[in-house]
C-alpha cells in the first residue's frame, strides 16, 4: 500500500534527513503531499476535527493548508491539490484518519 523511507536533502554544505511516504497507487500522490505538508500543521489538529465529523458533532469540514484543500465528511474525504500538480483524490475518512495518526507518530519518533 505504501512505503516510508528516509531521504537526505543537501544544499551546499548543509544536509538534512527527512522521511517521506509514497503510495503504491500513483493516484494517491496528493495524499502523500497532504500527510507530509498539511497534516502536521498545528500539532495535528486535523485529527481532532476529523473526529468531530466522525462522531457527528459536525456534518463536514472544509479546510486548506499550505498544499491541499480538504472536504471531510463522515464517509469520504476529498483531497485537492492547491497547486494543481496532482489530481484530486477521494478516500474513506476513517482510513485517512488512521493514516494521519500513523504518519504523525512516525514523524515524532
Amino acid at each position: 500500500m505504501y512505503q516510508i523511507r528516509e531521504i537526505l536533502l543537501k544544499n551546499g554544505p548543509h544536509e538534512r534527513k527527512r522521511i517521506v511516504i509514497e503510495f503504491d497507487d500513483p493516484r494517491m500522490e496528493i495524499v502523500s503531499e497532504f500527510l507530509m505538508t498539511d497534516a502536521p500543521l498545528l500539532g495535528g489538529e486535523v485529527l481532532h476535527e476529523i473526529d468531530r465529523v466522525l462522531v457527528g458533532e459536525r456534518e463536514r469540514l472544509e479546510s486548506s493548508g499550505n498544499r491541499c484543500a480538504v472536504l471531510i465528511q463522515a464517509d469520504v474525504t476529498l483531497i485537492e491539490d492547491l497547486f494543481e500538480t496532482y489530481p484530486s483524490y477521494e478516500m474513506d475518512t476513517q482510513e485517512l484518519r488512521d493514516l494521519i495518526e500513523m504518519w504523525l507518530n512516525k514523524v515524532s519518533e
Side-chain angles (χ1 to χ4, degrees), residues 46-63:
V46 69
L47 284 176
H48 174 69
E49 294 300 323
I50 289 173
D51 288 341
R52 291 181 63 203
V53 172
L54 288 172
V55 300
E57 286 180 22
R58 293 186 68 163
E59 184 178 322
R60 60 192 266 169
L61 171 68
E62 292 182 59
S63 180

Side-chain angles (χ1 to χ4, degrees), residues 34-83:
F34 172 75
L35 291 171
M36 292 185 289
T37 59
D38 293 336
L41 295 176
L42 301 174
E45 179 66 23
V46 69
L47 284 176
H48 174 69
E49 294 300 323
I50 289 173
D51 288 341
R52 291 181 63 203
V53 172
L54 288 172
V55 300
E57 286 180 22
R58 293 186 68 163
E59 184 178 322
R60 60 192 266 169
L61 171 68
E62 292 182 59
S63 180
S64 64
N66 293 327
R67 176 66 194 242
C68 302
V70 293
L71 171 58
I72 300 168
Q73 299 174 85
D75 54 348
V76 295
T77 294
L78 177 65
I79 304 172
E80 298 178 307
D81 187 357
L82 295 174
F83 299 135

Side-chain angles (χ1 to χ4, degrees), residues 3 31 39 52 54 86 102:
Q3 294 81 40
V31 178
R52 291 181 63 203
L54 288 172
Y86 301 111
M102 174 280 303

